[in-house]
Amino acid sequence: MSSLKKVILPIHLWAIAVGLVISGEYFGWNYGWGVAGTVGFLIATFIITILYLTFIFSFTELTTSIPHAGGPFAYSHRAFGPIGGLIAGYATVVEFLLATPAIAFALGSYIHFLYPSLPVLWTAIAFYVALTGVNMLGIKESALFSLVITLLAVLELLIYMGIVAPAFKASNFLHDAMPFGIKGVFAALPFAIWLYVCIEGIAMVAEEVKDPEKNIPKGYISGILTLMLLAIGVMVLTGGITDWKRLSGIDYPLPEAIGIVLGKQNNITRIFAGIGLFGLLASFNGIIISYSRQLFALSRSRYLPEGLSKLSRKHQTPDRALIAGGLLGIVALCLGRTDQLVLLSVLGAIVMYILSMVALFILRKKEPDLPRPFKVPGYPWVPLVALLLSILSLVAIIYYNVWLSLLFFAGMGLTLIVFLLAGKHKQTQEDITLYQLPS
């Protein structure tokens, strides 16, 4: 059985959790203004914040009970069997693999903002190559890299809020604040999810955490609270500096906002755009860690070609999974637009959230004696709220994005057909109980 190194501490988990998501504060969420306005999007954000608070407390129970690199795949496999595991694995792979090219687009756009002669696409591909190489050095080195750039990204957002706050005007934020009414709130839900999506990627490094039963809850809870404060602060302050419609359709809203406040030729504007790369790099690196572990776990469980679960002898990193995920991401980078990639990634996340919450209920009933070092407070109401808000979000995403939703579910159906025709559901699967904590 392939074994990963246990080197990750709570501070690394916080950095990975925040780093996985923090690019969502830099871009992507502003598309929500385009479909809901500022107040409409603020309402959507409050709804999604409740979803994530209840989900993370619930998900932590699963992660600490079954600290497996497959994360949601392992929980659903345990609760529903091989087909449930396949669907959760598919949804998680879509979420993480398509989040990375969306971030790569933003990285390319930020560099292009600074140096217009550099093309967005080729710059994005260069970042894929560089960050994949960093992750092949080892999880300890990658986690340290995440810690440093995440600290810089958080500091930068605090500085950003300090710079734009004096220019905030409530009249700007409230001007035409809900142009599409309550319908806009529902249309904006996937863009509000982008403010938090991928935080559950901590589950994919669970096998590499020291004392997971104690340290995983610390990482999850500190991470979600940090992100909640940053998300609401950035969104509200940015919406009050100018006509928000100027910022609702671009991939670099924060440098543009600083340019509006200080002037585009101001040295601080250019410095901010440069160090703004830290937030995007933090998420890019964190998601690469997560999707490589998901591909590794699916391969180890014989859902994907066995070669993807081979570890580097020198660094014990899943190098083949890292390379395969990078190549798939580059293909998506060449084929999709940022908003489409964001929506597909969010759709995968929401399907996975629903499966995970149902798995939590099933495992509570099916395996009452399963060691649970962390139990969700307020059971069953907290996971029930997370489940119902996830279903609401899924309905909204499908209703407002029919063709992208059809693409997602067609891919799921095709994957399921291939899985069944290959007879993999009848093959001996990896014993997930090997990864649960001792009774």
Side-chain angles (χ1 to χ4, degrees):
M1 181 180 69
S2 300
S3 180
L4 296 162
K5 282 185 179 179
K6 288 185 177 293
V7 297
I8 297 178
L9 299 172
I11 186 65
H12 299 129
L13 282 175
W14 172 85
I16 292 172
V18 176
L20 277 163
V21 183
I22 200 166
S23 65
E25 273 72 21
Y26 283 80
F27 83 104
W29 59 267
N30 52 307
Y31 290 110
W33 282 349
V35 296
T38 48
V39 171
F41 185 62
L42 183 62
I43 295 170
T45 300
F46 280 131
I47 293 171
I48 295 305
T49 299
I50 294 170
L51 162 60
Y52 272 88
L53 284 171
T54 53
F55 170 75
I56 285 302
F57 276 98
S58 306
F59 199 67
T60 301
E61 177 176 316
L62 292 168
T63 307
T64 51
S65 300
I66 310 170
H68 183 281
F73 150 72
Y75 320 145
S76 293
H77 185 285
R78 184 82 170 249
F80 306 113
I83 293 177
L86 174 75
I87 294 172
Y90 168 83
T92 307
V93 166
V94 168
E95 174 191 359
F96 284 89
L97 279 183
L98 295 189
T100 32
I103 296 168
F105 264 130
L107 278 165
S109 296
Y110 268 62
I111 294 293
H112 184 70
F113 178 84
L114 289 169
Y115 305 102
S117 62
L118 293 177
V120 173
L121 180 61
W122 286 106
T123 303
I125 291 172
F127 276 113
Y128 255 110
V129 174
L131 268 294
T132 298
V134 168
N135 276 275
M136 292 172 76
L137 295 175
I139 185 60
K140 188 174 182 179
E141 291 77 10
S142 184
L144 178 62
F145 179 74
S146 285
L147 175 59
V148 172
I149 58 177
T150 299
L151 287 170
L152 290 170
V154 171
L155 177 63
E156 184 192 18
L157 287 179
L158 294 175
I159 293 172
Y160 167 80
M161 287 189 276
I163 291 173
V164 301
F168 175 85
K169 293 181 181 178
S171 57
N172 285 334
F173 189 82
L174 297 174
H175 174 67
D176 200 18
M178 286 187 69
F180 307 105
I182 196 67
K183 289 183 178 180
V185 173
F186 289 102
L189 290 178
F191 299 107
I193 291 169
W194 186 248
L195 289 166
Y196 300 106
V197 75
C198 293
I199 188 174
E200 66 278 4
I202 281 184
M204 270 68 94
V205 297
E207 288 182 39
E208 296 160 277
V209 177
K210 289 184 176 179
D211 299 322
E213 65 275 14
K214 296 178 182 178
N215 291 335
I216 288 174
K218 294 177 184 177
Y220 268 135
I221 294 167
S222 61
I224 191 66
L225 293 177
T226 302
L227 290 163
M228 180 178 66
L229 295 173
L230 291 173
I232 294 174
V234 167
M235 177 191 39
V236 172
L237 290 174
T238 304
I241 64 167
T242 186
D243 181 354
W244 53 266
K245 294 175 184 176
R246 292 177 61 182
L247 304 172
S248 63
I250 58 176
D251 286 345
Y252 46 94
L254 302 197
E256 186 71 17
I258 287 273
I260 291 170
V261 173
L262 300 178
K264 289 190 177 183
Q265 302 307 314
N266 190 293
N267 288 333
I268 294 177
T269 301
R270 298 188 68 82
I271 291 171
F272 181 87
I275 63 175
L277 297 174
F278 288 125
L280 300 175
L281 285 171
S283 290
F284 201 40
N285 186 67
I287 296 174
I288 287 175
I289 294 173
S290 296
Y291 74 56
S292 63
R293 272 59 181 179
Q294 182 69 190
L295 295 173
F296 162 82
L298 288 169
S299 169
R300 190 175 60 185
S301 297
R302 304 180 187 88
Y303 281 67
L304 290 174
E306 189 176 350
L308 293 177
S309 61
K310 300 294 183 184
L311 296 176
S312 160
R313 289 184 179 181
K314 184 176 181 180
H315 302 293
Q316 286 184 266
T317 51
D319 288 0
R320 296 185 184 184
L322 282 164
I323 293 169
L327 291 174
L328 290 170
I330 289 171
V331 170
L333 191 65
C334 296
L335 297 178
R337 298 197 321 259
T338 301
D339 56 342
Q340 294 171 334
L341 294 169
V342 167
L343 285 165
L344 284 169
S345 175
V346 165
L347 187 54
I350 288 297
V351 170
M352 183 270 285
Y353 297 167
I354 292 171
L355 287 170
S356 296
M357 292 302 95
V358 175
L360 174 65
F361 285 111
I362 289 176
L363 290 174
R364 277 285 190 115
K365 185 174 181 179
K366 182 180 174 182
E367 299 189 47
D369 297 325
L370 177 69
R372 292 177 172 87
F374 179 92
K375 288 189 175 183
V376 55
Y379 182 88
W381 303 110
V382 169
L384 182 61
V385 169
L387 176 61
L388 293 176
L389 288 177
S390 296
I391 293 171
L392 174 66
S393 300
L394 179 63
V395 171
I397 294 169
I398 294 173
Y399 181 81
Y400 289 100
N401 304 278
V402 175
W403 290 109
L404 282 176
S405 299
L406 284 174
L407 177 63
F408 174 86
F409 287 108
M412 179 187 290
L414 181 61
T415 302
L416 182 58
I417 290 170
V418 171
F419 183 76
L420 293 173
L421 289 177
K424 288 187 174 293
H425 61 299
K426 297 178 181 179
Q427 294 178 4
T428 302
Q429 305 290 331
E430 179 190 29
D431 186 1
I432 302 295
T433 61
L434 293 172
Y435 300 91
Q436 73 184 52
L437 297 172
S439 302

